[in-house]
Amino acid sequence: MLLEPARQVVGPILTNSGFRNEDVNRHVGGVRNSQHLLGQAADIRPKDPQQFHRLVDFLKAHQLTDQLLTGNGWLHISWNPFAPPRHFVRIGYYK
């Protein structure tokens, strides 16, 4: 939903985490209602660090972005195909 359009804008994207089962989510400290559990979230960063701000700007403006959290050179993004996007953005959320 978001990854391919983002890749077309900034080039290759590295994915740290996508779908997580409950055990993995618990192990990494994910919240109980994480969208990772539904396959609706990913932790990503552009392969080219110079493209980070361009990726953030693209995702902030994208109509399907449900959540965008940034920190330490990576982003958490989510989308929800069953509800209107919240467009919740927090820059520097994770330190």
Side-chain angles (χ1 to χ4, degrees):
M1 297 288 247
L2 292 174
L3 294 175
E4 180 58 24
R7 185 197 65 77
Q8 291 177 4
V9 170
V10 303
I13 293 175
L14 305 175
T15 303
N16 183 52
S17 180
F19 171 79
R20 299 179 191 152
N21 66 36
E22 289 183 21
D23 290 337
V24 171
N25 192 59
R26 189 172 27 259
H27 179 74
V28 300
V31 296
R32 285 187 326 158
N33 63 341
S34 173
Q35 286 177 275
H36 284 279
L37 296 167
L38 302 171
Q40 297 174 356
D43 298 331
I44 63 171
R45 65 183 173 89
K47 184 175 181 183
D48 178 358
Q50 300 288 329
Q51 295 294 324
F52 184 81
H53 293 292
R54 187 172 181 203
L55 179 57
V56 169
D57 290 343
F58 172 79
L59 292 167
K60 280 172 47 177
H62 198 284
Q63 64 186 9
L64 296 178
T65 299
D66 184 55
Q67 188 177 59
L68 170 63
L69 310 173
T70 72
N72 295 329
W74 61 273
L75 302 95
H76 166 88
I77 60 168
S78 69
W79 54 93
N80 185 341
F82 307 109
R86 295 175 288 172
H87 300 289
F88 180 81
V89 175
R90 288 202 54 199
I91 306 301
Y93 182 75
Y94 296 104
K95 299 218 183 234

